[in-house]
Amino acid sequence: MPLFEHHIFVCHNVRPEGAPRPSCTSDGKSELFAQLQQFTKAAGLADRVRINKSGCLDQCEHGPMVVVYPDAVWYGGVKPGDAAEIVEQHLVGGRPVERLRVSDECINSKTCPHRS
């Protein structure tokens, strides 16, 4: 079996109602995760792309979050309808989906202007 070319993490963190920061999912389930799996399989990439549910990626204000490694591309505000574009443009075509990217100034930064 070949090594994975990409590893995708989909945040599944659920915070209690009224928490100071938002959740990436409301109930720990994710249609987004299922869509990414479905489109990855349909593109013939199931044995080369691993998709995992993750805990908090600490980018709650940008959620739902998806991270693609080894490219270190962080996507925010991702909806299930975006899954096909991520698979086709990024995983198949090698071009990140710029409209969904979280700016580098916000990754691992407490000074992100979006952070509560």
Side-chain angles (χ1 to χ4, degrees):
M1 180 179 285
L3 296 175
F4 292 120
E5 295 171 7
H6 289 95
H7 205 123
I8 300 174
F9 297 92
V10 181
C11 181
H12 274 241
N13 193 50
V14 178
R15 294 185 187 278
E17 190 171 321
R21 296 179 81 190
S23 297
C24 281
T25 63
S26 59
D27 58 4
K29 299 176 184 174
S30 175
E31 184 183 341
L32 171 59
F33 179 82
Q35 290 291 309
L36 284 166
Q37 284 188 315
Q38 178 183 348
F39 287 112
T40 298
K41 185 176 181 178
L45 300 175
D47 63 340
R48 297 180 305 184
V49 174
R50 175 73 176 156
I51 302 172
N52 282 94
K53 297 175 185 176
S54 78
C56 183
L57 296 167
D58 199 27
Q59 296 297 312
C60 311
E61 290 76 14
H62 300 107
M65 291 297 300
V66 173
V67 184
V68 180
Y69 281 108
D71 305 340
V73 172
W74 291 66
Y75 291 123
V78 184
K79 296 178 176 35
D82 298 321
E85 186 176 6
I86 291 171
V87 171
E88 288 302 315
Q89 185 172 317
H90 189 158
L91 302 179
V92 174
R95 294 176 323 278
V97 181
E98 293 300 325
R99 70 179 181 81
L100 296 173
R101 283 185 92 161
V102 175
S103 72
D104 289 345
E105 72 178 328
C106 287
I107 305 300
N108 295 327
S109 171
K110 298 221 182 279
T111 60
C112 171
H114 307 102
R115 188 174 287 253
S116 303

